[in-house]
Amino acid sequence: MPESLLAGERFRIGYALAPRSVSSFIQDSLIVYAEKRGVDLIPIDLEKPLIEQGPFDSVFHKLYDEGWKKQLEEFSLENPTTIIVDPIESIEKLHNRVSMLDAVRQLNIENLEIPLQAFVDSNESLQDGIANQGMKFPLIAKAVIANATADAHQMSLVLNRDGLNGIKTPIVLQEFVNHGGVIFKVYVAGDHVKCVKRKSLGDITEEKLGNSENLIPFSLISYFADNEQSDESLAKLMEATVMPPSTFVNEVSKQLRRALKLHLFNFDMIRDSIDGNRYLIIDINYFPGYAKVPEYEQMLTHCFLDLAHQKCSKETANFDHGANSNGHKVDN
C-alpha cells in the first residue's frame, strides 16, 4: 500500500458534513498528515450548488436529504470518475434498525450471528412479537430509525413482561446477550480496520432479573448490572479482555463492506459470555466518529490513497475505452 502519491500529484477530497460532524472527522492532525502525503481535504460550501464547486477527485459526505441527493446525482453525471463516498441508497439501509443487520445474514462466516430481534408496530402485538421470535428477557428496546438525532439513541432495558407496558411502538426489540461488560467497536475505512474495546452493560444474572425494576432507560442504568465500577476495576476488566482474532475481525469487515457497499462505517460486536467462540453484531453505524480511534489519521489517509489509485484506474479505463472506440474499424 503506497504511503503517498507520486511527487507533484495531489488528490482532492471535498467533504460535506453537518457542523456537528466536522470535529469528529476533520481535525488538524488529519489535515496535516493527509496533506504531507498528497491528499487535500476541502470543505464543500453547503450554501452553493455542488456542481459549481471543485474539481474533486472524491466527495465524502454525511448528508441525506432529497436536495443533497439530487445534487450528488447531477455532480456524478458531470464528473463520472469522481468517487462518491458513499452512495445514499447504501447508507439509507443503516438508518432503519429493522433492516440494518440484514447484511450480516449474508455473510459466510462461522461463529458470527446477530441477536434475535423483532419489529413491533403496535402495543397490542408486543407479546406476540416476542413469542413468535422465541425471544427471552431481558430485551433491549431501540428506536426504529437510526440516525444522528437524539431520539435515535434512546434505548431501554426491558427486564420482564411488565416492562413492556412502558414501551412506545413502533419499536425494535433485541434479545440481550451477556457479554462480560465489554463491547468491540470495529471501525472500517475501505480496506483498513481498527478494533477497540469499550465498556458495555454488565452481565445480567437470573437473580438480578428477579430483583429489579421492570424497565430501565439506558441513561439511568449506571447502578444496574455491575455498572458501578471503579476506574481501577474497569481498567483491569479491559486489560483482561482478549481481543477477537485479527483475522476474524478483518474477514468480517471485508465481507460486511462488500455486502453493505460502503467505505465508511463501524459495527458493534460482542462475545457471548457462555460460548467464547460465539460473536454477535448488534449495531452498524455509517460514518462514525473516527477521531476517537487511535492513529485514525493513518487509517483514513491510507483509505484516501486507495481511492486515489482507484480513481486513476477508472480514468485509465475510460481513456482506453475511448481510444479503442475511436480506432475501431468496421468492415463492409
Side-chain angles (χ1 to χ4, degrees):
M1 157 60 235
E3 291 292 324
S4 63
L5 297 175
L6 295 175
E9 289 185 318
R10 308 297 301 176
F11 187 66
R12 294 169 53 87
I13 294 179
Y15 62 88
L17 305 171
R20 64 177 177 274
S21 299
V22 173
S23 61
S24 66
F25 184 68
I26 303 296
Q27 296 196 351
D28 289 345
S29 58
L30 174 63
I31 293 173
V32 171
Y33 189 92
E35 193 175 65
K36 288 180 178 178
R37 287 153 182 82
V39 179
D40 298 319
L41 295 168
I42 303 158
I44 292 172
D45 188 343
L46 301 181
E47 300 298 320
K48 297 179 181 178
L50 178 60
I51 200 74
E52 296 177 5
Q53 302 181 62
F56 301 123
D57 297 298
S58 181
V59 171
F60 280 51
H61 72 101
K62 197 177 181 181
L63 303 172
Y64 317 115
D65 62 82
E66 286 301 315
W68 175 250
K69 186 174 182 179
K70 185 177 180 181
Q71 286 199 61
L72 275 180
E73 290 171 351
E74 292 175 348
F75 184 85
S76 294
L77 286 174
E78 290 292 323
N79 304 274
T81 61
T82 296
I83 300 172
I84 305 298
V85 179
D86 277 302
I88 289 182
E89 57 270 22
S90 296
I91 299 169
E92 287 175 339
K93 294 177 183 177
L94 297 186
H95 288 170
N96 187 321
R97 286 198 172 97
V98 178
S99 58
M100 174 190 287
L101 300 180
D102 285 351
V104 183
R105 295 190 179 96
Q106 302 173 26
L107 308 187
N108 183 28
I109 298 178
E110 190 176 1
N111 298 324
L112 182 70
E113 305 174 23
I114 63 173
L116 293 175
Q117 65 175 38
F119 166 66
V120 183
D121 59 3
S122 69
N123 286 65
E124 293 74 23
S125 59
L126 275 169
Q127 301 283 0
D128 290 341
I130 296 170
N132 291 341
Q133 295 297 323
M135 298 167 68
K136 298 178 182 179
F137 292 95
L139 306 172
I140 299 175
K142 300 182 177 185
V144 175
I145 302 302
N147 54 24
T149 62
D151 289 345
H153 296 284
Q154 296 297 319
M155 293 186 280
S156 298
L157 188 65
V158 186
L159 280 305
N160 50 46
R161 292 192 180 277
D162 289 338
L164 296 174
N165 296 327
I167 295 296
K168 293 181 180 179
T169 56
I171 198 80
V172 170
L173 295 172
Q174 188 179 88
E175 190 172 84
F176 178 81
V177 177
N178 282 334
H179 53 279
V182 176
I183 193 168
F184 303 106
K185 287 190 168 286
V186 182
Y187 292 81
V188 180
D191 292 330
H192 308 278
V193 178
K194 287 269 189 179
C195 181
V196 297
K197 294 180 279 190
R198 293 286 184 265
K199 180 179 182 295
S200 181
L201 183 61
D203 289 353
I204 301 173
T205 64
E206 291 292 334
E207 181 183 0
K208 285 173 182 171
L209 274 178
N211 297 280
S212 64
E213 298 182 30
N214 302 322
L215 177 70
I216 309 175
F218 269 40
S219 59
L220 303 177
I221 214 164
S222 60
Y223 67 91
F224 185 77
D226 295 332
N227 279 271
E228 281 191 335
Q229 293 178 301
S230 66
D231 291 343
E232 183 180 356
S233 63
L234 179 58
K236 287 182 179 179
L237 171 65
M238 289 298 172
E239 184 178 355
T241 300
V242 178
M243 295 286 276
S246 58
T247 52
F248 177 78
V249 172
N250 289 335
E251 184 61 25
V252 173
S253 302
K254 181 177 74 173
Q255 289 197 30
L256 194 55
R257 180 169 62 85
R258 290 174 179 172
L260 293 170
K261 297 182 173 65
L262 294 172
H263 289 82
L264 302 177
F265 64 94
N266 81 330
F267 57 93
D268 294 343
M269 186 168 67
I270 59 175
R271 180 167 52 215
D272 192 331
S273 292
I274 297 174
D275 181 356
N277 292 318
R278 181 186 181 221
Y279 291 88
L280 302 97
I281 292 179
I282 60 173
D283 204 25
I284 309 174
N285 303 287
Y286 178 66
F287 211 142
Y290 286 94
K292 65 186 76 169
V293 180
E295 300 180 336
Y296 96 106
E297 299 88 351
Q298 293 94 316
M299 178 188 188
L300 286 176
T301 301
H302 289 164
C303 176
F304 300 157
L305 294 172
D306 289 346
L307 290 171
H309 292 286
Q310 182 182 332
K311 182 174 187 288
C312 182
S313 297
K314 285 178 69 174
E315 290 175 335
T316 301
N318 284 356
F319 176 81
D320 290 344
H321 177 74
N324 291 335
S325 298
N326 292 333
H328 183 68
K329 289 185 179 181
V330 177
D331 294 329
N332 292 323

